[in-house]
Amino acid sequence: MIVKSIKEQNIVGAEERNGMIGHLFWYSIGSQLITREGLKEKFTQSNIKEEWLPNEIRISDAFRRATKEIQRKKVPTSDPKKFQNFLVREVFSDNNYIQRNIVIETVDQSGKRLDYDPTGAILLLDKKQNQFSFAVPNEKNIEVKSLAMEAEELYKKYSIYYSAQQIRVMVSKILSSLAPTQVRPNGGVYFVPVTYMQELKNLNSLVNSLENSEGFIVPLFDTTDNREMINKKLLNDFEEAVETVDLLLKKDTVSKMEINDAIGESKRVADTFKKYQLVIELEVDVLNEKLQLLSERSKKLLNKIE
């Protein structure tokens, strides 16, 4: 006869008594490059809707990203008391072209500027022809020419491939549609209710299909400790949302973006609470009180727009 461990017995017992209330999910997206077509294939394999694909890569974004990455600071020179900063500055942009220059700052050890060359190199993107070109007025400046060539190679890559950061943003957006709640103070581990079990499995499949990336799902069963954890995290979310709204109410001037962000977060917390009620025994009285308070504060905040 096979004897199950205490841990296995507890899990099975919880499942038999009350069932599963959701999953804990955490993931990491590592360094990678992937084309839109490659990402589409992974979406199909993981049953993810294409509506979650990142926007198509714009060549102007690829150009700016590539040219920004070549910046260097405090590069040593033949004079031990002098250093050079190679910075990129945008000088022109319209519907047809973007021009960015590599400017060269010569500085001393304390960072004081000693010399400045605004046209170390001229980097140009022809939007209509999808063509990157550059000119280096001082051909003897090998370092600047090398940076310009590096920018050109990066542009070729970034105009075709999504970056790891773009993939992270994409995964975060998909996850946000599954009513997640952070269960660690610093984030990184999320509770997702059982009502989104299949969608979460699809997302986890997608993450694990990506290069240098991994995702993990752990079932969470309906136990007293687990219910207390979810109730506590929901309460924290409500309190943080109320605090954010209160801070904005006290400010004399508030931007429309700040108000929209705060209202958006308030709606997210309220919606999460309503969705969790379907699968978890919540401290309804306490959370409803917080929901009412948040609703009242949010209405006052909206009046600031008017």
Side-chain angles (χ1 to χ4, degrees):
M1 184 176 70
I2 299 176
V3 179
K4 295 180 180 178
S5 68
I6 297 296
K7 183 177 180 181
E8 288 174 324
Q9 290 177 39
N10 287 340
I11 291 176
V12 172
E15 186 176 16
E16 289 173 347
R17 290 194 308 272
N18 302 306
M20 195 160 50
I21 58 174
H23 294 85
L24 295 181
F25 174 61
W26 63 94
Y27 68 94
S28 64
I29 305 296
S31 176
Q32 64 184 280
L33 293 169
I34 186 169
T35 65
R36 187 173 184 81
E37 289 306 312
L39 195 53
K40 278 185 177 181
E41 289 180 11
K42 293 185 181 298
F43 267 50
T44 299
Q45 293 166 2
S46 301
N47 292 316
I48 301 287
K49 294 179 181 178
E50 285 193 9
E51 66 188 58
W52 292 111
L53 279 169
N55 293 331
E56 293 204 34
I57 298 170
R58 300 195 314 162
I59 60 171
S60 56
D61 292 339
F63 176 73
R64 290 189 172 101
R65 181 181 167 210
T67 51
K68 181 181 179 181
E69 283 195 16
I70 63 169
Q71 296 185 114
R72 304 286 188 273
K73 289 189 175 181
K74 295 204 76 173
V75 177
T77 67
S78 56
D79 185 340
K81 295 182 180 180
K82 294 182 179 180
F83 300 87
Q84 286 187 321
N85 296 329
F86 298 94
L87 309 174
V88 175
R89 298 289 182 262
E90 189 157 320
V91 297
F92 178 78
S93 176
D94 66 10
N95 292 330
N96 298 312
Y97 297 97
I98 302 176
Q99 180 185 331
R100 303 190 117 193
N101 290 358
I102 299 178
V103 303
I104 307 170
E105 282 186 342
T106 302
V107 298
D108 62 16
Q109 291 171 309
S110 65
K112 181 181 178 181
R113 184 189 290 178
L114 303 175
D115 191 22
Y116 183 81
D117 179 359
T119 54
I122 299 168
L123 312 173
L124 188 68
L125 175 66
D126 183 332
K127 294 182 181 179
K128 301 297 183 184
Q129 300 297 322
N130 188 13
Q131 185 173 356
F132 183 111
S133 61
F134 66 85
V136 181
N138 183 1
E139 286 289 337
K140 293 182 180 180
N141 197 326
I142 299 174
E143 187 147 19
V144 172
K145 186 174 182 180
S146 175
L147 290 174
M149 293 172 66
E150 181 183 343
E152 184 175 29
E153 289 304 309
L154 287 172
Y155 169 72
K156 291 176 182 178
K157 181 168 64 175
Y158 294 154
S159 60
I160 298 174
Y161 297 98
Y162 289 116
S163 68
Q165 180 56 27
Q166 288 170 301
I167 299 302
R168 290 187 192 101
V169 171
M170 176 198 76
V171 171
S172 178
K173 286 181 178 179
I174 299 174
L175 177 60
S176 68
S177 70
L178 309 183
T181 292
Q182 292 186 6
V183 297
R184 290 180 67 244
N186 297 324
V189 179
Y190 303 86
F191 167 76
V192 176
V194 70
T195 45
Y196 292 100
M197 181 168 63
Q198 188 56 55
E199 291 89 340
L200 181 61
K201 287 182 177 180
N202 293 345
L203 176 57
N204 190 54
S205 172
L206 174 65
V207 169
N208 281 297
S209 73
L210 297 169
E211 188 176 352
N212 298 318
S213 305
E214 58 184 9
F216 298 94
I217 295 177
V218 175
L220 204 66
F221 296 100
D222 193 356
T223 66
T224 300
D225 286 345
N226 288 340
R227 286 196 303 274
E228 287 180 357
M229 176 185 71
I230 302 304
N231 274 287
K232 180 181 178 181
K233 294 306 175 183
L234 269 178
L235 184 60
N236 289 346
D237 280 356
F238 270 117
E239 290 174 343
E240 288 176 7
V242 170
E243 183 180 353
T244 298
V245 172
D246 281 346
L247 287 173
L248 294 180
L249 285 171
K250 292 175 183 177
K251 293 175 66 174
D252 293 330
T253 57
V254 184
S255 70
K256 191 172 181 179
M257 181 178 292
E258 287 179 306
I259 293 176
N260 288 338
D261 287 346
I263 296 300
E265 177 61 11
S266 297
K267 288 180 178 178
R268 184 197 69 79
V269 175
D271 288 344
T272 298
F273 170 46
K274 293 171 184 176
K275 290 173 181 176
Y276 282 18
Q277 283 184 286
L278 300 175
V279 294
I280 309 170
E281 183 182 332
L282 298 174
E283 296 174 4
V284 178
D285 292 342
V286 175
L287 293 172
N288 266 327
E289 183 180 329
K290 292 295 181 182
L291 177 62
Q292 183 64 31
L293 179 62
L294 183 58
S295 177
E296 292 171 359
R297 295 287 205 278
S298 296
K299 287 177 183 177
K300 289 183 180 180
L301 185 59
L302 282 171
N303 289 335
K304 274 185 172 280
I305 295 180
E306 301 172 1

